[in-house]
Amino acid sequence: MGLVEAWGGNAFGWFFANLIEAFYNFFYAILNPGAWLSWVPSINGALETEQKEALMRFIYYGASVEFFFVTLAIFLVVTIIGLISNRFMWGCVRGLEGFANVVGRVAAWAGLLMVLQQIVIIFMQRVFAVAEISVGFGVSFTKDVSWWSEELKLYNAMIVCLCAAYTFVQGGHVRVDLVYSAVSYRTKRVIDMFGSIVFMIPGAIIIWLYGWFFLWRHLVVPNPSASETLDRLLNKARALRWNIETIGFSPNGFNAYFLFKVLLVTFALMVMLQAVAFFYRSYLEWKEGPESEGKFLDKDKLGDATAELVADIH
């Protein structure tokens, strides 16, 4: 649209020009998915020239100023609609918290899987003295025992990254109340709104910006850089090819460490979504009063009175 170039002489002009162009960029991306998603059918396969350019656009825009303003525009539109219709905002809260709960409750089973796999490794290695473990029905998946041992770290990373937002919804994070516990109900809600906007969202954005290019530097070559322009990346697209990281710390060890980078980006996204949900919930509880505290909150039943009390305190 050219608004950024026309209005970009000062900070206010640059901000509002990018915000206005965000609506154009959003609808252009929706109506032209091939320009940035045509590479998907060829993941880890041969790429045509158009697919290479589409992949470079996807990498560039994934952590770009344009993408930031598109997400900001969506947030502002949803928030404005929610201010008009609190029922709609409660629906957003329930949807975002429900998403965090579902992902967290599923990922939490990785803890049990981690324990069971460790037991199997000990028995197979110490009792039966085998060098490899095979898993599968019909088609087996065979790896060295050291591979399975190092792969346990992936389960731990899954629990940390995918259960963080879920734990936040459940009130399970450690909290140090120096001021919060002594102030009034409405002041608490204001503090919650301030914290979600000033701390949670910026923190998640910073992790996303660093994690996004950190991820792609381990998936493709030549390595993309956050400092490069779109034109520069498109010029490099001619030499683009998949180079998914498969290097382990030991010769027969776990060799899919790119999954940790994927989890890092996923963690940032889920924290960001939960920050928005927390902001909306805090606003609605501030507006509707103490009777709305915990409204529609889907908390786990621990089955222990002491544990329930501790969870409520936090």
Side-chain angles (χ1 to χ4, degrees):
M1 293 177 64
L3 287 179
V4 177
E5 290 77 8
W7 298 1
N10 58 78
F12 287 103
W14 176 85
F15 177 84
F16 286 105
N18 274 290
L19 189 60
I20 293 172
E21 284 198 352
F23 294 93
Y24 169 81
N25 293 333
F26 173 77
F27 287 107
Y28 183 86
I30 294 297
L31 297 175
N32 298 274
W36 55 288
L37 286 179
S38 62
W39 56 273
V40 173
S42 300
I43 292 178
N44 202 25
L47 294 169
E48 302 293 335
T49 302
E50 294 78 8
Q51 292 176 315
K52 292 179 180 180
E53 292 179 351
L55 179 54
M56 275 302 193
R57 290 192 191 96
F58 182 82
I59 296 172
Y60 171 80
Y61 284 115
S64 65
V65 173
E66 292 86 350
F67 181 62
F68 170 80
F69 277 96
V70 166
T71 56
L72 177 60
I74 294 173
F75 171 73
L76 292 176
V77 169
V78 173
T79 302
I80 291 172
I81 296 174
L83 293 175
I84 297 172
S85 172
N86 289 166
R87 182 178 180 182
F88 172 80
M89 187 175 284
W90 274 120
C92 293
V93 172
R94 297 179 70 181
L96 292 173
E97 290 183 348
F99 173 70
N101 279 335
V102 169
V103 173
R105 285 164 178 161
V106 173
W109 286 99
L112 176 61
L113 185 59
M114 180 167 53
V115 173
L116 295 177
Q117 184 169 311
Q118 182 65 78
I119 293 172
V120 171
I121 290 171
I122 293 173
F123 269 88
M124 298 299 288
Q125 189 174 30
R126 301 299 180 183
V127 178
F128 298 102
V130 299
E132 296 181 340
I133 298 177
S134 298
V135 176
F137 299 94
V139 179
S140 63
F141 180 75
T142 304
K143 289 291 183 180
D144 191 88
V145 172
S146 62
W147 188 96
W148 293 101
S149 297
E150 290 186 20
E151 193 251 352
L152 292 172
K153 292 182 289 187
L154 179 62
Y155 298 138
N156 187 61
M158 289 173 61
I159 295 171
V160 172
C161 293
L162 300 182
C163 295
Y166 161 66
T167 306
F168 190 93
V169 174
Q170 300 297 321
H173 286 295
V174 176
R175 185 179 193 154
V176 180
D177 295 336
L178 299 178
V179 177
Y180 189 87
S181 59
V183 298
S184 66
Y185 171 83
R186 291 187 180 276
T187 304
K188 289 179 181 179
R189 302 290 83 80
V190 172
I191 292 174
D192 289 339
M193 286 188 281
F194 179 83
S196 61
I197 294 296
V198 176
F199 295 109
M200 285 185 69
I201 291 180
I205 290 174
I206 291 173
I207 296 173
W208 176 278
L209 293 176
Y210 280 95
W212 182 257
F213 284 98
F214 182 58
L215 165 65
W216 285 102
R217 283 198 297 270
H218 295 84
L219 295 181
V220 298
V221 289
N223 292 332
S225 172
S227 61
E228 293 179 304
T229 64
L230 177 60
D231 290 337
R232 171 64 176 165
L233 289 176
L234 290 177
N235 287 333
K236 292 171 65 174
R238 289 174 293 182
L240 185 70
R241 62 182 177 82
W242 292 105
N243 187 38
I244 297 177
E245 178 187 39
T246 57
I247 299 175
F249 289 109
S250 59
N252 296 318
F254 184 67
N255 59 351
Y257 281 96
F258 71 92
L259 293 176
F260 290 88
K261 286 79 174 180
V262 175
L263 286 173
L264 178 63
V265 174
T266 305
F267 165 78
L269 175 62
M270 295 195 65
V271 169
M272 199 179 307
L273 292 176
Q274 182 53 39
V276 173
F278 189 55
F279 175 78
Y280 288 163
R281 171 175 286 281
S282 300
Y283 165 76
L284 291 167
E285 291 182 353
W286 171 84
K287 181 180 180 181
E288 298 180 2
E291 63 276 5
S292 67
E293 185 175 9
K295 185 177 179 180
F296 300 125
L297 186 58
D298 180 16
K299 297 190 70 172
D300 295 337
K301 301 300 181 182
L302 302 178
D304 182 273
T306 303
E308 294 282 358
L309 178 59
V310 172
D312 290 337
I313 293 173
H314 288 288

